[in-house]
C-alpha cells in the first residue's frame, strides 16, 4: 500500500509540475508575446485567390487567402469537455511513459548531427490561430526552415541517418504530445498545416476542418499520408470533422498504431508524391 501511495504521489507531483510549465509556456507557444505574428485570418472563413504576380507559397501555387466571413463553428459537449479531457490524460501518460524513448532519441539526434534536438515550425491551429509545433529534428541544420519537404529539391540529401529512421516510424512527431498537453493540438484531428499553406487552408475551410484543434493523427493520416493530393486530404479532414465523436476518434487512434512499424505512405517529396511516382513508371 505504501508503495502504491508513493507512486501515486510521484505521479501527482509530476502532473502539477507539468501543468505549471504548461501555463507558463502556453502564451509563448501561440505568439502572445509577438502580436505582429498573429494570423489576420484567425477566426475567419477564407478562400484562395490565385495570382500569378505573387510568390509561390508552401503548396507550390501563387496566390493569397481572402476572408469571406466569420467562422460559424459551434463546439459540442464532446469536443469541449470529453475530447479535451482525453487529450490531457493521454498526453500526460504519454510524456511520462515515453520519457526513456525521448532520452534515447535525443542522444541519437545530437550524436548524428550536432544541433538543437527539437525543431519548431509555425503551424495553423484551431480557428487558424498560429502556434509553435514541435518535432524531433530529422533533417540537417542546413535545411531551409519554412519549406515543406515536398518543396525541397532532392529532399533526401537533408535527412540525417537518425532522421530517416524516426520519420519512417513517425517518431519525429512524439514531441507533439507536449503540444497536445498544453492545448494547441489534440490526439486526433486534421494534421496542422504550415502557416503559408494557403491552398490547403482554403480547401479545408470548405469542410470546416480548420475550426477544431489539429491532431497528432487523423482520418486523412490512416487513409494515406504523403500520397494524398490537397483536395482529397482536405475532404477526408472534413469527413472527420463532420463525424466528430468518440467512435471516430477511437477508429483514428487505433488505426494509427501501425505507423510505428514503418509507414510506406511517408515519402520524401510530400503531398501527392506517390501518385507522381506511379505516373512516372
Amino acid at each position: 500500500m505504501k508503495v502504491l501511495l508513493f507512486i501515486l504521489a510521484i505521479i501527482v507531483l509530476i502532473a502539477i509540475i507539468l501543468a505549471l510549465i504548461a501555463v507558463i509556456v502556453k502564451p509563448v507557444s501561440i505568439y502572445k508575446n509577438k502580436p505582429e505574428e498573429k494570423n489576420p485570418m484567425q477566426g475567419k472563413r477564407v478562400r484562395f485567390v490565385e495570382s500569378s504576380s505573387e510568390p509561390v507559397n508552401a503548396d507550390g501555387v501563387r496566390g493569397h487567402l481572402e476572408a469571406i466571413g466569420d467562422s460559424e463553428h459551434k463546439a459540442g459537449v464532446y469536443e469541449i469537455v470529453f475530447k479535451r479531457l482525453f487529450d490531457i490524460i493521454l498526453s500526460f501518460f504519454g510524456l511520462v511513459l515515453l520519457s526513456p524513448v525521448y532520452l534515447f532519441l535525443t542522444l541519437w539526434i545530437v550524436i548524428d548531427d550536432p544541433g538543437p534536438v527539437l525543431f519548431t515550425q509555425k503551424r495553423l491551429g484551431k480557428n487558424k490561430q498560429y502556434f509553435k509545433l514541435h518535432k524531433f529534428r530529422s533533417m540537417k541544420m542546413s535545411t531551409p526552415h519554412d519549406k515543406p519537404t515536398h518543396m525541397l529539391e532532392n529532399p533526401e540529401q537533408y535527412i540525417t541517418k537518425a532522421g530517416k529512421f524516426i520519420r519512417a516510424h513517425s517518431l519525429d512527431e512524439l514531441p507533439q504530445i507536449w503540444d497536445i498537453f498544453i492545448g494547441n493540438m489534440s490526439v486526433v484531428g486534421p494534421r496542422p498545416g504550415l502557416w503559408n499553406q494557403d491552398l490547403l487552408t482554403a480547401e479545408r475551410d470548405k469542410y470546416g476542418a480548420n475550426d477544431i484543434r489539429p491532431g497528432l493523427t487523423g482520418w486523412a493520416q490512416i487513409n494515406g499520408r504523403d500520397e494524398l493530393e490537397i483536395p482529397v486530404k482536405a475532404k477526408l479532414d472534413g469527413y472527420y470533422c463532420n463525424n466528430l465523436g468518440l467512435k471516430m476518434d477511437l477508429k483514428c487512434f487505433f488505426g494509427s498504431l501501425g505507423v510505428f512499424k514503418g509507414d510506406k505512405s511517408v515519402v520524401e517529396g510530400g503531398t501527392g508524391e506517390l501518385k507522381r511516382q506511379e505516373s512516372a513508371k
Side-chain angles (χ1 to χ4, degrees):
M1 179 63 73
K2 290 183 178 180
V3 174
L4 290 176
L5 289 175
F6 177 76
I7 293 174
L8 180 60
I10 293 296
I11 292 175
V12 171
L13 179 60
I14 293 173
I16 292 173
I17 292 173
L18 289 178
L20 290 174
I21 295 174
V23 170
I24 294 171
V25 304
K26 171 71 174 183
V28 177
S29 73
I30 56 175
Y31 301 98
K32 283 272 187 158
N33 58 330
K34 296 181 179 180
E36 69 277 8
E37 296 284 352
K38 183 179 179 180
N39 185 5
M41 297 297 171
Q42 183 174 328
K44 304 290 185 181
R45 290 172 54 242
V46 301
R47 66 173 181 173
F48 183 74
V49 180
E50 292 188 36
S51 175
S52 59
S53 63
E54 297 187 36
V56 176
N57 65 23
D59 286 321
V61 294
R62 298 177 185 273
H64 62 274
L65 292 176
E66 180 179 88
I68 57 175
D70 295 324
S71 172
E72 299 175 353
H73 176 68
K74 302 296 182 183
V77 175
Y78 174 76
E79 181 183 346
I80 296 173
V81 180
F82 296 105
K83 186 173 174 64
R84 181 59 188 145
L85 182 61
F86 295 149
D87 285 341
I88 293 173
I89 294 172
L90 289 175
S91 60
F92 170 72
F93 284 103
L95 290 169
V96 174
L97 297 177
L98 292 174
S99 55
V101 178
Y102 285 121
L103 179 59
F104 172 77
L105 293 178
T106 294
L107 294 175
W108 190 9
I109 290 168
V110 171
I111 293 172
D112 190 15
D113 185 60
V117 173
L118 295 179
F119 175 69
T120 61
Q121 276 185 326
K122 184 193 293 185
R123 297 285 183 124
L124 209 66
K126 182 178 179 181
N127 294 323
K128 303 184 186 67
Q129 181 183 58
Y130 290 152
F131 75 98
K132 295 179 182 179
L133 175 139
H134 298 85
K135 286 188 175 187
F136 277 125
R137 182 171 59 86
S138 59
M139 306 187 85
K140 297 176 182 177
M141 292 298 296
S142 58
T143 307
H145 187 71
D146 268 329
K147 270 193 176 183
T149 305
H150 68 274
M151 294 289 290
L152 297 173
E153 184 177 347
N154 186 19
E156 284 284 355
Q157 66 178 313
Y158 295 106
I159 309 294
T160 63
K161 291 179 181 178
K164 189 171 184 178
F165 177 83
I166 65 176
R167 285 168 72 93
H169 296 272
S170 297
L171 298 175
D172 59 323
E173 312 286 0
L174 289 181
Q176 288 159 49
I177 294 176
W178 174 252
D179 296 327
I180 295 169
F181 185 75
I182 66 176
N184 289 334
M185 290 179 61
S186 180
V187 173
V188 181
R191 284 296 297 159
L194 284 168
W195 67 275
N196 53 351
Q197 284 188 278
D198 292 342
L199 183 58
L200 176 61
T201 299
E203 285 293 317
R204 281 177 166 171
D205 243 25
K206 295 177 181 179
Y207 309 101
N210 294 311
D211 295 329
I212 64 174
R213 284 189 182 91
L216 181 63
T217 186
W219 188 242
Q221 301 308 108
I222 66 173
N223 285 282
R225 295 174 62 175
D226 291 336
E227 74 267 32
L228 296 176
E229 299 288 348
I230 285 176
V232 177
K233 183 181 294 185
K235 191 171 183 178
L236 287 169
D237 288 332
Y239 178 82
Y240 168 79
C241 295
N242 292 327
N243 292 274
L244 184 63
L246 179 60
K247 182 178 179 180
M248 175 59 81
D249 278 350
L250 290 175
K251 188 181 294 187
C252 292
F253 179 79
F254 288 111
S256 301
L257 297 181
V259 302
F260 297 107
K261 298 177 182 178
D263 192 350
K264 294 181 180 179
S265 65
V266 178
V267 178
E268 300 313 331
T271 304
E273 183 62 18
L274 285 183
K275 183 176 180 181
R276 286 191 284 273
Q277 289 181 6
E278 291 172 358
S279 299
K281 292 180 179 179

